[in-house]
Amino acid sequence: MLTNTINNTTTTTTSSNNNTTIDDDDDMILSNDVDTTSSSSDYQIKVQQIIKLPVNIEQIKSRFSHSSACYNNKIYIFGGAIDRGIYDNELYCYDIDLQKWYTIEAKGKKPLKRIFHTMVLDSNRDKLLIYGGRKEGGTKLNDFFEFDLIEEMWTKIDLNMNTNITSLNNSNDNILSALPKPTDGHSAVFCEDMNTMVVFGGHDGSNYIDSFTMYHTISKTWSKIIPENHDTITGRAYHTSQYSSKHKCLIISGGKIQGNVSTNQTFAYSFKTKRWTKLDMNYNDLNNNNSDNSDNTSNMDTLNNNFLKKTVPKVLCPCSVMISSDRMVIFGGEDSQQKCSDELWSFDFQTLKWSQIILSNLNNTNMEMTSIPKLSRLSMVFNNRNSSLYLFGGYNEGKRVNDFYQIKFETPPQIASIPIIRNIKTNTPFIEIERKEDFDNYYFDLILKCKKKLYGVHKCIILQCNYLKDLIENNNSNITNNINTIELPFDNHVDKLLEFLYGMEPSFTNIDEELNDLLNLSKLIQFQPLINWSLNKLQELNIINLDNKKIDNSHPAEYLQKYLANRRREIKENKIITDFKITIPNNDNIFYCDKTLLITRSDYFKSMLTHGFKEEHVNEVLMDQIDSIKQMDLILDHIYGIEISENTDLSIHDLMLLLMSSNFYCMRYLYHAVLRVLISNVNEENALDILINTSHVSNTTTIEKKLQNICLNSIRKKDLAEKLIEIASTASLLQSENQNLEMKLEELKKENELLKRQQ
């Protein structure tokens, strides 16, 4: 897998009041809305820029009810309505690096033209999964296709071949087939931790259904999910959904329910408890459940106060996308009066609360800003490499659009460049040691011992906390399984402290109580970054008031990034001696590096330094593919999270060498970073030279396409120039001959006049 974070979006809308499904024509009449509210989180994601990107109507037509996904710095668009009753089935791609749209010339038989389908990214296998929808003429579909992003090939998945139909609740003997019915307006998400695509709801032509199924990409089988309280949520369609693997939680929001009623309720399904939870109540819900409330007056007061505030998205059926493991965002949609929205909202999986992201009055006059119109039936993806949302197409005031917008966040929710080692089982970079096998299956160089638990961690990360640093330096050679072990005098919330040290926001079960405990722990160990973060979080939750006191509000990943950059600088200045040495050919310099980070950044060294090779024991390696100090420094900067940029002062030759080195040492993130910079510096003069020198480097499809296009354009320009020169030369010759003829004509005229006089 060449990318570490992939986002999918499910586009949804609401239905007309004369039919039970949504009309695909341009004019719509919607049913009355049911108002709901929810507690709001004060946390606001900051927007840095809003840019309208250029789109040529000849490259991709205006459309709505399409789908999109983001993969490897490319945005893929499929399907949608491009005219009244006319749909599309081409797969389009926008290359963020090249800033260019193109249609993919795919192999295999492509899916039928459709709308209201779903497309999700299988990030574990580098494939797009397209399911269901509505074809031209209104027929519902349940066909299923895969698109291989590497081979650029369509493959239809035969549902009838998947005979191994199972249920996630084996106690129920009356299970119907888990194969989904033909439907449109359903939602689908990919769960990368389970290698599954989860499909919920939809409209089967007669009813809004509550079908809840799971497709297993490895075994190619379907399972029917049966929640313990399946009656909590009713059938619905044209809603939106997202999944957090960190919280094992699926969120369903908005849509249409039986009776053709619009709703903006939010539900959460826990894959741990196998239960649904309704997260918001409307006025009628509260009136109908007074007997269950011990303080009805208080609840009513709270509800009435919430009605005076914007505490939950009022729109129906927006598009949505995950921007981190803790947060999803939604944009646009329609209300019950057919009015589209231009609001952007965030949902926090930790607090289970909504908060609005302000897009207007952005106090940044130095940045390019534009306003986004009110839209529905659009698609949206998040690209974590530049911390940006990309919005395309949709429906606005009765018209299809092909507008293309980028919303760039000022502070990314997660910083993907931070080097950490992840435990696949728990999705955390450290490991709670439970059995002896864990010592062999995971790499760590330090153990933190509590009263009841052992944690395998990485020393270079833990050293950012001075309290833990002192414990390590004063360690009396306490060894567990040949690994240094530090005994901690406290036991509670060690996992949350470690999450913060590894650049992640700590997770909570009871956030109000546990956050206070974490603040007390951070004060005990005098770890100022965690103190700052805890105080800011408590203020966001309205638990404390800092009275406008300015406290650093950095994300945990930003603290880690600053620490690692500073550690790299001190190593370079020989202020720190690390546990691993690197040498390069024909040079006497010794380059120091933390073994942990080298293993993290390079699959090549991960294999070498964790499988008993000589280098693992001598803690030294010769990188014989590196031929300069400058190149080695750039690689070490990358290892410590300092990325090269397009403005970096590197020659094309330097970039090509770095690209080949990163490819050889399996440093895939550095490879892609160099590739982006190289692409931005390609021109007609160097294109052919780069194409020749990178032809043997793997995974260079992106740059090869650009290089080939540039070379062809250059050849065409050269041919055209030669033809123009030939034409100009011919024209010049003709002009010269014309002048000679005119001169001869004048001479003949003079001779003729002379003859007349003589006669």
Side-chain angles (χ1 to χ4, degrees), residues 60 63 66-68 75-78 90-92 101 379 392:
I60 180 168
R63 68 195 56 230
H66 52 285
S67 58
S68 62
I75 299 170
Y76 293 86
I77 304 287
F78 178 80
E90 296 291 347
L91 184 61
Y92 302 91
W101 284 97
S379 69
F392 178 77

Side-chain angles (χ1 to χ4, degrees), residues 4 415-422 561 564 593-607 609 623 634-644 661-671 673:
N4 59 333
I415 299 179
S417 63
I418 297 300
I420 56 176
I421 298 178
R422 290 197 171 276
Q561 189 175 47
L564 289 174
C593 177
D594 290 293
K595 184 193 289 188
T596 289
L597 301 185
L598 188 60
I599 291 172
T600 302
R601 286 304 210 185
S602 166
D603 290 338
Y604 177 95
F605 288 111
K606 181 179 180 181
S607 296
L609 301 177
M623 294 182 69
L634 287 169
I635 288 175
L636 288 172
D637 284 346
H638 165 76
I639 287 171
Y640 283 85
I642 304 169
E643 300 298 347
I644 63 171
S661 298
S662 59
N663 180 69
F664 180 86
Y665 290 112
C666 304
M667 297 179 174
R668 61 184 183 275
Y669 297 121
L670 177 60
Y671 172 86

Side-chain angles (χ1 to χ4, degrees), residues 566-582:
N566 184 63
R567 183 170 177 82
R568 163 67 180 142
R569 179 181 57 78
E570 291 183 338
I571 292 171
K572 198 172 181 179
E573 295 172 356
N574 295 320
K575 294 180 180 178
I576 298 176
I577 303 297
T578 63
D579 58 356
F580 200 80
K581 298 178 184 178
I582 299 173

Side-chain angles (χ1 to χ4, degrees), residues 73-287:
N73 241 32
K74 295 183 179 70
I75 299 170
Y76 293 86
I77 304 287
F78 178 80
I82 57 176
D83 205 339
R84 185 183 293 268
I86 300 176
Y87 308 155
D88 195 3
N89 65 341
E90 296 291 347
L91 184 61
Y92 302 91
C93 180
Y94 177 75
D95 191 308
I96 296 173
D97 291 322
L98 304 182
Q99 299 181 358
K100 178 182 177 182
W101 284 97
Y102 59 90
T103 303
I104 294 179
E105 301 296 332
K107 295 171 279 187
K109 187 177 180 180
K110 55 190 175 185
L112 295 172
K113 300 176 181 180
R114 66 191 64 210
I115 59 174
F116 297 128
H117 56 283
T118 54
M119 178 171 74
V120 300
L121 180 78
D122 179 349
S123 52
N124 295 334
R125 299 186 303 141
D126 304 319
K127 296 179 187 291
L128 296 174
L129 307 178
I130 292 178
Y131 176 75
R134 183 196 309 173
K135 69 177 184 179
E136 292 178 350
T139 303
K140 314 285 183 174
L141 300 168
N142 72 335
D143 53 354
F144 189 21
F145 286 82
E146 283 186 350
F147 180 77
D148 190 310
L149 290 158
I150 306 300
E151 300 296 330
E152 295 192 338
M153 176 181 288
W154 287 107
T155 302
K156 185 175 182 180
I157 308 299
D158 190 349
L159 297 181
N160 294 325
M161 292 179 64
N162 299 314
T163 56
N164 184 20
I165 306 302
T166 60
S167 167
L168 294 187
N169 188 342
N170 294 324
S171 62
N172 193 318
D173 297 327
N174 300 315
I175 300 172
L176 298 176
S177 171
L179 290 177
K181 297 179 180 179
T183 183
D184 70 359
H186 55 284
S187 67
V189 296
F190 182 72
C191 309
E192 61 180 9
D193 57 328
M194 297 187 287
N195 280 303
T196 59
M197 179 182 73
V198 173
V199 180
F200 180 83
H203 194 278
D204 63 5
S206 302
N207 299 299
Y208 294 96
I209 60 176
D210 61 356
S211 172
F212 198 11
T213 55
M214 176 184 286
Y215 176 73
H216 304 263
T217 59
I218 305 301
S219 62
K220 297 187 182 301
T221 59
W222 288 89
S223 296
K224 189 175 183 70
I225 304 174
I226 302 180
E228 293 182 2
N229 58 341
H230 59 87
D231 292 335
T232 301
I233 185 171
T234 58
R236 64 197 59 224
Y238 316 113
H239 52 282
T240 191
S241 67
Q242 291 298 331
Y243 172 75
S244 169
S245 57
K246 176 180 177 180
H247 300 279
K248 307 291 184 187
C249 179
L250 175 74
I251 294 295
I252 300 283
S253 184
K256 283 281 187 176
I257 58 177
Q258 207 64 30
N260 203 32
V261 176
S262 304
T263 179
N264 61 354
Q265 297 171 339
T266 303
F267 292 86
Y269 178 76
S270 170
F271 282 87
K272 295 179 180 178
T273 64
K274 296 182 174 57
R275 295 182 64 85
W276 285 105
T277 301
K278 184 181 178 185
L279 299 181
D280 51 291
M281 289 190 295
N282 58 44
Y283 186 82
N284 291 330
D285 286 333
L286 194 58
N287 278 335

Side-chain angles (χ1 to χ4, degrees), residues 735-748:
Q735 186 178 7
S736 177
E737 290 178 354
N738 186 51
Q739 289 174 351
N740 290 333
L741 289 172
E742 288 178 351
M743 290 174 62
K744 287 182 179 181
L745 182 62
E746 289 295 325
E747 290 176 359
L748 290 171

